[in-house]
Amino acid sequence: MLEIVCLNGDFAMPVDSRPVGQLRNIGPTVARRLMEIGVRTRHDLKEVGPATAYVHMSANSPGKHLPVCYYLYSLEGALKDLHWNDVPEETKRRLVSQAELSMAIPPT
């Protein structure tokens, strides 16, 4: 479902407000973990980005390994409406690099 959001009463743009649980690749566990970090809609996921969402979900689940293919690639696939395995290899490498860099930088 698309909502129209008005900014300053002048400009309207469509926002995809579909709940994350309705997106491709996103099952109940991933949807719950996304909601735990405040990502509730496709728009939220797009704003945060797959790598940042993955890093936050990982930080929110200490002691648990969140498999890259089931989480990071699935989040990208959800935004692109692709099966996680169909995400291009170059994109997968970029996402892993972004996530690794974010995890290596201590929070301020």
Side-chain angles (χ1 to χ4, degrees), residues 33-107:
R33 288 193 170 137
L34 284 167
M35 288 187 276
E36 287 172 356
I37 63 163
V39 175
R40 292 175 170 66
T41 67
R42 183 187 181 284
H43 176 75
D44 294 341
L45 179 57
K46 185 176 180 183
E47 288 293 308
V48 169
T52 300
Y54 175 77
V55 169
H56 287 292
M57 285 191 300
S58 294
N60 206 37
S61 302
K64 293 187 180 182
H65 172 70
L66 303 184
V68 170
C69 60
Y70 295 131
Y71 286 84
L72 185 57
Y73 303 161
S74 292
L75 297 175
E76 178 72 12
L79 290 176
K80 305 289 187 199
D81 196 28
L82 294 171
H83 184 275
W84 66 265
N85 203 36
D86 293 332
V87 172
E89 290 302 318
E90 181 178 324
T91 302
K92 289 177 181 177
R93 286 190 295 275
R94 178 182 49 80
L95 290 167
V96 168
S97 293
Q98 288 173 348
E100 287 174 345
L101 179 63
S102 293
M103 289 177 163
I105 299 171

Side-chain angles (χ1 to χ4, degrees), residues 13-36:
M13 62 185 232
V15 173
D16 191 338
S17 61
R18 282 180 290 168
V20 290
Q22 293 179 3
L23 302 177
R24 188 173 191 164
N25 305 314
I26 307 298
T29 300
V30 177
R32 179 179 47 79
R33 288 193 170 137
L34 284 167
M35 288 187 276
E36 287 172 356

